[in-house]
Amino acid sequence: MENSVGIVTTEYAHFDAELRLESGRVLGPLTLAYETYGTLNAARSNAILVAHAWTGNAHAAGYHSTQDRKPGWWDDMIGPGKVLDTDRYYVICSNVIGSCFGSTGPTSENPRTGKPYRLNFPVLMVRDMVRAQQLLVDRLGIDQLHCVIGGSMGAMQALEWGIHFPERTRSIIPIAGAVSNSPMAIALNAMARQAIFNDPLWKKGNYRPEHPPADGLALARAIGHISFLSDTSMQLKFGRRFSVRDGLFDFFGQYEVERYLEYNGRNFVDRFDTNSFLYLAKALDLYDAGWNFDRLEDALKQVICPSLWFAFSSDWLYPPYLTEEAVTILQRLGRPTTYHLIESDYGHDSFLVEAEKFTHYIVDFLAELD
């Protein structure tokens, strides 16, 4: 546990208030699962909000027990002396609403029926997730966040903070994100949805938790996981190697890449809820930074804080041009905007796999803010 935040506990903030969503529906009462690392200073000015990706959770760093084999999902980034230095910053990570790791979502009890929401849960947008995070930031007594940082869906949340809460956001760092989901990303999510819908155990969302639509969800995850990789990373990791456990002319024999996707999908079933997967996929498809503005430029005009953007050369889920669309507009508006295109072979997962290629830019950016 060297340079680790050590043993941490997930906390839960409960809110009796109802949150009005972009759909016009209301959601409440609310619960947000979150973790914090480091110490909030006397001025309450050193808080950094880490926003997680699609299937992430609040456990970004440290360990829940001494028996844990793996630390939090961004442990390389968060801790004493690390990029998000907990000797200096108070780091917060909350699980988004709609998820299944402690925050209010489809698996939560609907107070009107006393039963799980399932498909009675309202459709969410990323903007709704950010408004729920604002409730948590208020609860923690923080007027302004020093920075909001996140990758993928986390990048979208960071941008939403900059647009809708400019007075409360001192800086943002969107990593491997976009101002809207591309048609290709929507198409891949559509295939993932159909994989679930076609599983007879899904039962229009009314499956029993102990008997989820495992085949459908595993296939949906495999479809999504392909988009996180790249041709080069798959060549490096698998090549055309055939499984040593199968005969080459066995009709059901598999290449190593097939076994990997099957293994990844099956493991995912054990840790994620199917309806939550569907709701968050829908939120990604609906994401549009310019929603309810006349133009995207009108939305980005609201961003007055310094921003640091990253895209990755081999990312085909959110190609660099999707990031550069926002960067170009912000620079034209004269906003303090910095952009780095990082050369990497690891596709969309580059921000998790090769963090060392870009983290020094984050350290410099935060130092300049300080």
Side-chain angles (χ1 to χ4, degrees):
M1 293 189 182
E2 185 179 352
N3 291 335
S4 170
V5 296
I7 303 299
V8 296
T9 302
T10 303
E11 299 181 72
Y12 301 88
H14 305 286
F15 304 94
D16 291 330
E18 289 187 326
L19 187 68
R20 182 162 292 278
L21 307 175
E22 288 295 312
S23 65
R25 293 182 62 182
V26 293
L27 180 64
L30 290 175
T31 296
L32 283 183
Y34 70 100
E35 292 185 5
T36 63
Y37 321 103
T39 304
L40 189 62
N41 64 17
R44 297 181 174 270
S45 61
N46 66 332
I48 291 179
L49 178 65
V50 170
H52 68 72
W54 183 359
T55 58
N57 56 35
H59 184 42
Y63 299 81
H64 283 155
S65 76
T66 54
Q67 283 73 48
D68 279 0
R69 295 172 60 187
K70 279 185 168 184
W73 57 270
W74 230 11
D75 191 74
D76 288 344
M77 290 278 288
I78 302 168
K82 295 181 182 179
V83 179
L84 304 182
D85 186 354
T86 49
D87 288 335
R88 175 175 294 180
Y89 303 115
Y90 180 64
V91 181
I92 309 159
C93 184
S94 74
N95 185 219
V96 298
I97 54 173
S99 187
C100 54
F101 292 115
S103 293
T104 300
T107 62
S108 304
E109 181 183 295
N110 182 343
R112 292 165 182 81
T113 65
K115 298 177 181 178
Y117 278 103
R118 296 192 175 98
L119 295 196
N120 286 321
F121 195 75
V123 170
L124 297 173
M125 295 187 74
V126 172
R127 194 168 298 175
D128 299 319
M129 301 172 188
V130 168
R131 289 196 176 115
Q133 290 167 353
Q134 184 207 12
L135 296 175
L136 176 62
V137 172
D138 286 345
R139 176 70 59 85
L140 295 173
I142 298 165
D143 292 329
Q144 186 182 57
L145 291 164
H146 188 67
C147 183
V148 183
I149 179 173
S152 193
M153 190 178 82
M156 299 170 181
Q157 294 169 67
L159 179 55
E160 290 293 294
W161 269 96
I163 292 172
H164 296 281
F165 301 105
E167 74 288 351
R168 305 196 63 176
T169 312
R170 192 171 176 211
S171 66
I172 59 172
I173 306 178
I175 306 170
V179 291
S180 61
N181 235 22
S182 70
M184 189 198 72
I186 293 171
L188 290 170
N189 284 346
M191 292 171 62
R193 271 190 287 275
Q194 286 303 316
I196 292 169
F197 295 164
N198 290 338
D199 189 322
L201 290 180
W202 184 60
K203 300 178 181 178
K204 295 186 177 179
N206 293 310
Y207 53 87
R208 293 163 60 185
E210 63 270 25
H211 295 296
D215 290 343
L217 181 57
L219 178 55
R221 176 62 172 182
I223 292 168
H225 200 76
I226 292 169
S227 70
F228 304 156
L229 306 174
S230 71
D231 178 60
T232 302
S233 67
M234 284 193 274
Q235 289 282 3
L236 292 169
K237 192 176 181 73
F238 309 108
R240 284 183 45 83
R241 293 190 302 278
F242 205 77
S243 171
V244 295
R245 290 177 282 182
D246 299 336
L248 184 62
F249 296 103
D250 178 353
F251 183 78
F252 294 101
Q254 293 181 310
Y255 285 89
E256 287 293 345
V257 66
E258 293 178 275
R259 283 204 174 275
Y260 170 79
L261 291 172
E262 185 178 87
Y263 172 80
N264 188 279
R266 290 295 169 188
N267 275 0
F268 185 71
V269 170
D270 294 334
R271 68 179 182 86
F272 212 84
D273 172 65
T274 307
N275 286 339
S276 289
F277 180 88
L278 291 168
Y279 271 91
L280 296 183
K282 176 62 72 174
L284 285 168
D285 287 349
L286 290 172
Y287 183 66
D288 180 358
W291 171 260
N292 274 347
F293 290 90
D294 290 336
R295 299 175 302 162
L296 175 61
E297 183 167 335
D298 293 332
L300 295 178
K301 274 182 183 177
Q302 312 305 311
V303 180
I304 56 176
C305 66
S307 59
L308 173 64
W309 298 74
F310 296 98
F312 298 89
S313 59
S314 59
D315 187 346
W316 65 284
L317 180 61
Y318 295 134
Y321 77 86
L322 292 176
T323 298
E324 291 161 3
E325 184 179 3
V327 170
T328 299
I329 293 173
L330 287 169
Q331 290 177 338
R332 187 169 66 241
L333 290 169
R335 302 295 191 259
T337 309
T338 305
Y339 168 62
H340 297 284
L341 175 60
I342 307 299
E343 292 294 325
S344 175
D345 292 331
Y346 289 94
H348 189 61
D349 269 351
S350 297
F351 79 95
L352 296 171
V353 177
E354 290 195 309
E356 70 280 359
K357 285 192 171 183
F358 64 90
T359 48
H360 58 287
Y361 294 118
I362 297 176
V363 171
D364 292 345
F365 179 78
L366 292 176
E368 287 181 19
L369 281 177
D370 291 341

